[in-house]
Structures are given as C-alpha cells and as structure tokens.
Amino acid sequence: MEIILKYFPDLTEAQKQQFASLYDLYTDWNAKINVISRKDIENLYEHHVLHSLGIAKVIRFTPGTRIMDLGTGGGFPGIPLAILFPEVKFHLVDSIGKKVRVATEVANSIGLKNVTFRHARAEEEKQLFDFVVSRAVMPLADLLKIIRKNIASEQHNAMPNGLICLKGGELANEAMPFKNKTMMYDLKDYFEEDFFETKKVVYVTP
C-alpha cells in the first residue's frame, strides 16, 4: 500500500481505505477463483494496482468521463482507476463470467459506486465511451478493430477520445500501422521500480 501513497500522495481517507482493502480481498478471492497468478499475489500493489494507475500519469480524466475497461479480468485497470477517479464512470467487461464475479465482489466490498459490469465478449458491447482502457494481451490492430464502434465522437478531455492500453515489450512494429495516431509513454519515467522498465502506456486515436 505504501507504494501507492508514494506516487499518489493526495488520496482522500476513503480512497486510502479502498486501496488498503484490495490486498485481503484479492487474496481471499484468488484462493477461490484464480484471477492473478498465485505467485504474483504478493506483488498486487506494484504489478497490478500501481501498473493500472500508470494511465493516470498520462491523463487526468474529467468528471463524467465514460470509460470501458475491456478484458478487465479481476478488475484491472478498471477498479484502481475507479478508486482514483470517483467522478468518472467505468464499465468493466470480460468474456469470463467468474472473473467478472470477482471484480464485482471486490468493487461492492469497497463501496465503489462508479462502476458497472458486464459478462460479454467485446464485440457484443455496443455502448459509447470516451475511452477504452485495457491491459492488452491482443495486438493493437485487433483491439482497435473491436473497439472503434465504442468510441464516442463528443470530446470531454484534454486528449481526444480513444484507446489507452498498458502493454510491455517491443511495440514499434505493432504500432507502425498507427504511428501517426499513436503516443507511447514509458512507465519507467513515472515509476522507479524495476518492474516498469519495459512497461508502456499506449494511446491511440482510432
């Protein structure tokens, strides 16, 4: 939990309590339904919570912004971002029902009021959003093909509406077809821990 306060020192008491509650909740749920590698659960705050919050180092969402977290798994990056931005609306979508259940139970346990959930494939979600966020495992081209239909035209933020995903490794070739529409931010510029050495926030306007 200290690592969250290190980089986000201005949290309210309510936010601190919500972040502090995540470890026990995810440890408990992960023993029943595996949403995080069992070896990795002790790194929850650095590898999952802080990683998710890397998006907040790139953009501060304005109140009322609508965001879909695609392939949320157990709730990342959606739940940490929803704690940080209580006036922003998050819709967490995953095709695996038991993962959606974990994310829902965690959010309910900490009293998150700004999140909704859906057990569905990405192609089935028809609502419009200002941004789609994802800890992306699929290539950018595939992700963009799926989410283009979900990006609203009306703008509310300093950055144009689009896709914001967390990816690792060498991304130059993957982003090449969208190079004029893509910006990449190295998380090592914001977080000094070794885990972030190859991690990036990738922002693409569809």
Side-chain angles (χ1 to χ4, degrees), residues 126-138:
K126 307 298 187 195
Q127 293 184 72
L128 293 177
F129 302 90
D130 300 301
F131 294 96
V132 173
V133 298
S134 182
R135 291 221 291 180
V137 287
M138 70 174 76

Side-chain angles (χ1 to χ4, degrees), residues 101-122:
R101 184 186 170 206
V102 172
T104 304
E105 295 288 350
V106 169
N108 288 342
S109 295
I110 61 174
L112 276 184
K113 306 293 188 199
N114 57 330
V115 289
T116 55
F117 300 88
R118 186 175 181 197
H119 171 209
R121 294 175 65 242

Side-chain angles (χ1 to χ4, degrees), residues 90-107:
F90 290 86
H91 184 56
L92 280 55
V93 178
D94 201 280
S95 61
I96 300 174
K98 61 185 180 180
K99 293 186 176 183
V100 175
R101 184 186 170 206
V102 172
T104 304
E105 295 288 350
V106 169

Side-chain angles (χ1 to χ4, degrees), residues 39-57:
K39 291 184 287 189
D40 204 32
I41 192 73
E42 61 198 47
N43 299 312
L44 177 77
Y45 284 105
E46 181 181 341
H47 291 184
H48 301 279
V49 180
L50 190 62
H51 186 215
S52 298
L53 295 177
I55 289 173
K57 292 295 185 182

